[in-house]
Amino acid sequence: MNDKITIDDSLCTKCRVCAEICPNGIFRTETGLTTVRPERVQLCVSCGQCMAACPESAIQVDGLDYSRDFSDLPENDDADVHFDKLIRSRRSVRSFKDKPVPRDKLEQIVSAVTFSPPSFPPIKTALVVVQDKQMIRESLPYMVDLYDKLLKGLKHPVAKFFIKKEVGPYRMRTIQNHIIPMFSIKLPFMKDGTEDSITRNAPAMILFHADRNSENYRTDIYIALAYALLKAHSLGLGATAIDLIPPAIEKSPRLKILFRIPDQNEVVAAMILGYPKYKYRRAINRQLSSVTWIN
Ligand SMILES: Cc1cc2nc3c(=O)[nH]c(=O)nc-3n(C[C@H](O)[C@H](O)[C@H](O)COP(=O)(O)O)c2cc1C
């Protein structure tokens, strides 16, 4: 029984947008109806992508309400939109058109990153801009392999002890809460190549790395990443930060060579990008954990 997501069959046109846009592949349409895959519903993180993109407002995710949690988007989504419109219309894009990203757009993103504030100048952040889709495809099996090994390791108490020690409690929480449930379900599909939940068949990727001996580089990189995400969106591109990629590169000497990461550098963040296949019809309104005003 699934109480988390319901679909109004009288509204649904089986357009498949939800099935393609959901980060966890929770929807299926093969039966002629749009249905929820019961074995995947637990992976729903209420990101609201399905509800934001559904042309007919036919999907209901428990806890999200069309009138309360979503708002209209401006029609105009060209490069000059006001900042507020820009941030409201940005979403993580994981479905891309089969179209390369031109070099000049990538250069504009690189240029935007140079304006992100470094904690202590000079800028420590370095980028690898991958415009070669084939190279991204080639890297995927090595990334999948890391998560395969991680899952196997976590099943053995001794290996689990060392993994916990290596990653620390902060990252371990993400592993327990998200990575294990997701890969337990998806690994077989990722291993046989029918599903790519890491690089999402993206035509381009940007890696953010820095010398691991420099100060405050991780914080700087996350700010730089935010600039890059917004700049990509302002250029009509779609992008998503993918936290699954950096540890996979870190653990793979082969990927470090492939992506030309110097030995002393750590890959902190990764962003996939391309032209969005789908359009979001509404913005999602979210609440912060809390806001305390002190006057
Ligand atoms: C640092 C960071 C890491 C992320 N890593 C992943 C990832 O590994 N895989 C993924 O599909 N989405 C990833 N995301 C995207 C988030 O899931 C997404 O931002 C969130 O669900 C909110 O949705 P929105 O960006 O569409 O508003 C990441 C986002 C951030 C900021």
Side-chain angles (χ1 to χ4, degrees):
M1 179 61 187
N2 153 47
D3 296 325
K4 174 84 184 172
I5 305 171
T6 47
I7 298 156
D8 186 337
D9 289 335
S10 67
L11 297 175
C12 175
T13 59
K14 288 87 185 162
C15 68
R16 277 195 55 79
V17 171
C18 57
E20 294 207 29
I21 221 162
C22 171
N24 285 314
I26 290 170
F27 300 91
R28 66 189 308 166
T29 53
E30 291 80 11
T31 56
L33 285 174
T34 306
T35 54
V36 170
R37 301 163 84 168
E39 74 282 13
R40 290 201 176 198
V41 73
Q42 55 169 305
L43 300 179
C44 176
V45 289
S46 303
C47 68
Q49 289 254 355
C50 53
M51 290 176 68
C54 178
E56 311 302 332
S57 307
I59 300 171
Q60 183 57 61
V61 176
D62 187 39
L64 290 178
D65 183 271
Y66 276 107
S67 51
R68 184 194 59 207
D69 298 317
F70 293 85
S71 45
D72 292 339
L73 277 172
E75 277 304 308
N76 172 7
D77 57 3
D78 66 23
D80 295 325
V81 290
H82 184 274
F83 183 72
D84 187 53
K85 289 180 183 168
L86 184 78
I87 56 175
R88 274 161 33 82
S89 55
R90 184 218 58 84
R91 295 302 312 260
S92 290
V93 170
R94 301 178 181 87
S95 300
F96 303 100
K97 287 183 183 159
D98 190 12
K99 179 178 166 185
V101 181
R103 168 96 184 203
D104 76 291
K105 300 235 173 193
L106 294 166
E107 280 172 358
Q108 289 184 62
I109 295 170
V110 172
S111 169
V113 169
T114 66
F115 291 97
S116 67
S119 323
F120 308 99
I123 296 174
K124 313 299 183 308
T125 304
L127 302 181
V128 173
V129 183
V130 188
Q131 231 185 327
D132 178 351
K133 183 174 177 175
Q134 191 50 35
M135 187 186 277
I136 303 174
R137 300 261 61 71
E138 277 167 27
S139 69
L140 183 62
Y142 297 100
M143 299 187 192
V144 173
D145 189 50
L146 169 93
Y147 288 102
D148 193 20
K149 287 197 178 108
L150 176 71
L151 242 66
K152 284 181 181 140
L154 288 167
K155 287 187 182 136
H156 297 282
V158 178
K160 186 173 177 179
F161 172 82
F162 285 108
I163 292 169
K164 267 180 149 174
K165 208 168 155 201
E166 186 188 334
V167 302
Y170 183 77
R171 241 190 127 63
M172 198 60 203
R173 273 195 291 278
T174 308
I175 291 177
Q176 299 274 21
N177 297 342
H178 299 284
I179 292 183
I180 297 176
M182 182 181 105
F183 280 103
S184 301
I185 292 173
K186 293 186 177 181
L187 255 178
F189 305 101
M190 297 195 67
K191 281 162 83 172
D192 73 13
T194 51
E195 196 162 333
D196 170 9
S197 294
I198 303 179
T199 60
R200 307 274 178 180
N201 208 20
M205 175 170 80
I206 300 181
L207 302 174
F208 297 69
H209 62 107
D211 185 330
R212 62 185 84 239
N213 297 312
S214 58
E215 75 275 10
N216 244 31
Y217 63 95
R218 292 187 184 141
T219 314
D220 287 2
I221 282 182
Y222 281 116
I223 295 172
L225 170 70
Y227 272 56
L229 287 167
L230 286 170
K231 182 65 190 179
H233 177 50
S234 82
L235 293 169
L237 296 164
T240 296
I242 303 289
D243 253 4
L244 294 169
I245 295 175
I249 298 178
E250 280 297 298
K251 285 275 170 202
S252 165
R254 200 175 183 133
L255 290 183
K256 285 195 98 168
I257 291 169
L258 184 72
F259 293 126
R260 302 182 206 170
I261 306 294
D263 273 350
Q264 76 277 15
N265 281 29
E266 178 187 335
V267 180
V268 176
M271 181 179 114
I272 52 167
L273 68 162
Y275 285 94
K277 199 165 164 190
Y278 301 107
K279 183 176 155 56
Y280 295 96
R281 288 156 196 279
R282 44 198 83 84
I284 187 161
N285 310 323
R286 298 189 180 109
Q287 304 301 318
L288 297 178
S289 165
S290 75
V291 180
T292 306
W293 296 88
I294 301 177
N295 300 311

